[in-house]
Amino acid sequence: MKLETMPLEFQAALPILETLEHAGFEAYFVGGSVRDTLLNQPIHDVDIATSAYPEEVKALFHRTVDTGIQHGTVMILDHGQGYETTTFRTESTYTDFRRPDSVTFVRSLAEDLQRRDFTVNALALKADGEIIDLFDGLGDLERQTIRAVGQAEARFHEDALRMMRAVRFAAQLGFTIESATLAAIKDNAALLSKIAIERINIEFTKLLQGQHAKYGLLELLATNLNAFMPGLEATDLDLVGYADLLGHNQPANAEQAWTLLVFELGLIPRDANKFLKAWKHSSNLINTVQRAIALLNELRKGDVADWLLYQTGTDIDVALTVAQYSEMRLDTTQLRARYANLAIKNKRELALNGADLTKELGLQPGPLFGKILSTLERQVVQGSLPNQAEPLLTAAKAIVAKEEAHK
C-alpha cells in the first residue's frame, strides 16, 4: 500500500528521513501517527525509527537532545520542531514486567517492529509513502481489531501496561480486541500490579474519554483488570453502571471523567480525596472533584443554598455537566444562572478587605479579623448584605461591638 498524499505533519519531517537516507541509513515514520493517518484521525506525535545508531544520528544533525539515548532515542531539533528518532532495537527479558533489562541496537526494521505491542501500531511509512506491514496491521485496521504482535502473553510480559493500552485503544477506536489477545489479558491481569499507578492512570483516563468508552470499560471488567486498580477491586456493579452512562455521553476532560466515576462509586469528598491520591492525581484535579462531589451529593437530596454554589466556584461547570451525564433530574440552567448572579464569586471581590479593617477600625490580623471577613463574605453571598463598602463597614463595626460586649 502507498499513500498518495502525505499529511502535513509528515511532510514537515521529511527532511529528517531524507538526511538519514542520503547518509546510507534506513528511516521510517512509525507507530501511532501512521495508524492515525490511515484512520483519517489527527496526528499527535511524529515518531521516526532508523537503522542509524544514536551517535550516527547525532553526527548528521546540528541540534539534538539525548531524550532517551540509553534506549536509542534522540530528539532532532534541526527543522523547527522536535522529532524523536529511535534506533531499531531488540530487547532482552523484562524482569520487572515494565522495562527491558537491556536493549540491543540493530539494523533490521523487522526486528524492531516485532517488539511492538499491537499490529495496528507496528506499521512503518517510508518517505515515498509506501507502508511496510509485516504483521497484517493493515488487515486488522480493516477488520477494526486490536491484536498483539506475535504471542500476546509475551508482549504483556514485556510490559504489562500493554493490557491497559489494549482496552484504551478499544475505547478510543471502537475496535474489537482479538480473542487470543483478550484471553491473554485475562490470564495475565495480575501483572498490572507491577506497573506504576501513574502509567495506569494515563491509560485509564484516556479510556474514560474515548468515544467507545463503554465497550473499553466493559472489556476491562471482563478481563478482571480492575481487580488490580486502586479502589476498583470490588466495584464491578458500579463500573457496569458507569459504563452504561459512558455509552450515552463521553466526558470532555479528566475532571469530568473522574468526577463522574467518584459520583457513581458513591464517595463523599473525604473518601474521594483518599481514592484520587491513591491514583496519584494532581492537587488541582482532586480539589475540583471534591468540590463538585460535595455539590452533587447535596443536589441528590434536594435544593441547595447559594453558599454551596459559591463554595463550588468555577467547578460548578464540572458538577452540573456530571449531573447531566448521571441523569439526575435537575434544572441545571437555573443552577448555572443562580451561580452567575451571585454578588461575588470569591472573597477577593468583597468590597471590604483587611486593609480597610485596619484603617477604619484599627484592627490587626488575628482571629477576630478573619471572623469579620468570613461573616461578611457569607452574608454578601447569601444576599443579606449588599457588596458595598459602607454597609459592610457598618456590619463589621457591629461584629466588633458584639465581641467587645461578650468579653
Side-chain angles (χ1 to χ4, degrees):
M1 179 180 179
K2 191 169 186 177
L3 294 182
E4 295 300 324
T5 305
M6 284 279 208
L8 294 177
E9 293 86 349
F10 287 150
Q11 292 181 34
L14 279 176
I16 305 290
L17 267 62
E18 292 167 352
T19 298
L20 288 163
E21 289 176 344
H22 289 160
F25 301 107
E26 293 179 46
Y28 307 87
F29 298 120
V30 293
S33 60
V34 180
R35 179 199 68 229
D36 290 340
T37 295
L38 295 169
L39 292 173
N40 295 314
Q41 295 191 358
I43 295 174
H44 300 291
D45 296 303
V46 174
D47 293 322
I48 297 168
T50 179
S51 61
Y53 289 1
E55 292 305 321
E56 294 170 331
V57 172
K58 292 169 68 174
L60 290 172
F61 297 93
H62 300 294
R63 300 173 59 220
T64 64
V65 177
D66 296 350
T67 53
I69 197 163
Q70 71 275 21
H71 295 115
T73 302
V74 175
M75 178 78 77
I76 298 173
L77 304 170
D78 281 26
H79 298 279
Q81 181 175 335
Y83 294 101
E84 285 203 335
T85 304
T86 303
T87 301
F88 299 157
R89 72 190 196 204
T90 59
E91 298 169 343
S92 65
T93 55
Y94 288 66
T95 305
D96 60 4
F97 304 98
R98 299 190 298 272
R99 297 174 296 266
D101 297 327
S102 63
V103 301
T104 302
F105 302 140
V106 296
R107 302 292 191 185
S108 166
L109 173 66
E111 288 185 76
D112 183 77
L113 295 180
Q114 186 173 309
R115 67 177 177 81
R116 296 181 181 269
D117 53 6
F118 307 109
T119 60
V120 295
N121 296 332
L123 300 167
L125 175 62
K126 296 175 66 173
D128 64 3
E130 182 183 351
I131 301 287
I132 306 299
D133 178 18
L134 304 181
F135 305 100
D136 197 24
L138 291 174
D140 284 335
L141 282 179
E142 183 70 25
R143 291 183 289 270
Q144 298 189 331
T145 298
I146 301 297
R147 178 167 59 90
V149 172
Q151 293 295 318
E153 182 166 313
R155 299 291 80 77
F156 298 149
H157 275 253
E158 289 165 355
D159 184 354
L161 187 70
R162 287 170 170 170
M163 297 184 292
M164 283 297 301
R165 284 170 59 81
V167 293
R168 187 259 287 186
F169 283 129
Q172 288 185 321
L173 303 175
F175 283 18
T176 300
I177 303 174
E178 179 260 343
S179 58
T181 301
L182 194 66
I185 295 174
K186 189 171 185 178
D187 291 343
N188 294 277
L191 294 180
L192 194 63
S193 62
K194 308 285 186 180
I195 302 299
I197 191 58
E198 293 90 342
R199 297 180 71 206
I200 298 173
N201 188 337
I202 290 171
E203 299 299 329
F204 192 47
T205 299
K206 289 179 179 179
L207 183 159
L208 297 180
Q209 297 173 73
Q211 287 294 308
H212 305 272
K214 177 178 181 178
Y215 170 66
L217 186 52
L218 290 177
E219 289 292 62
L220 183 149
L221 285 167
T223 53
N224 206 35
L225 285 171
N226 63 299
F228 307 95
M229 300 165 74
L232 300 180
E233 299 90 341
T235 59
D236 291 39
L237 289 178
D238 291 324
L239 290 177
V240 168
Y242 185 34
D244 187 57
L245 295 179
L246 294 175
H248 302 287
N249 295 286
Q250 285 75 50
N253 52 50
E255 289 76 13
Q256 291 179 10
W258 284 91
T259 300
L260 183 58
L261 174 58
V262 167
F263 192 45
E264 288 304 304
L265 292 175
L267 303 182
I268 61 175
R270 182 183 66 249
D271 295 333
N273 179 277
K274 182 179 179 181
F275 172 68
L276 295 170
K277 280 187 174 179
W279 278 88
K280 300 293 179 70
H281 275 294
S282 69
S283 295
N284 286 341
L285 184 140
I286 292 174
N287 291 336
T288 290
V289 173
Q290 284 187 292
R291 284 190 286 264
I293 287 298
L295 177 59
L296 287 166
N297 286 346
E298 289 304 311
L299 285 170
R300 184 178 271 174
K301 302 173 188 176
D303 198 13
V304 297
D306 285 348
W307 180 247
L308 183 53
L309 298 180
Y310 173 79
Q311 287 181 306
T312 308
T314 56
D315 294 323
I316 192 170
D317 184 63
V318 172
L320 296 184
T321 299
V322 166
Q324 291 174 309
Y325 289 168
S326 62
E327 301 174 348
M328 291 178 69
R329 294 177 178 272
L330 293 177
D331 187 343
T332 56
T333 300
Q334 189 243 8
L335 287 165
R336 290 180 196 276
R338 281 177 57 191
Y339 175 75
N341 291 328
L342 292 176
I344 60 174
K345 299 298 193 302
N346 61 70
K347 64 177 64 179
R348 292 186 300 276
E349 296 178 0
L350 199 63
L352 191 76
N353 58 34
D356 297 324
L357 294 181
T358 299
K359 178 181 177 182
E360 300 295 337
L361 302 180
L363 294 177
Q364 297 301 316
L368 179 58
F369 204 84
K371 180 178 180 179
I372 292 170
L373 291 175
S374 295
T375 301
L376 298 180
E377 177 189 11
R378 188 157 191 154
Q379 289 178 340
V380 167
V381 170
Q382 292 174 333
S384 56
L385 266 179
N387 188 33
Q388 298 169 5
E390 187 173 337
L392 290 176
L393 186 58
T394 299
K397 290 176 180 177
I399 295 171
V400 173
K402 185 175 181 180
E403 290 292 321
E404 290 292 332
H406 283 86
K407 281 185 178 179

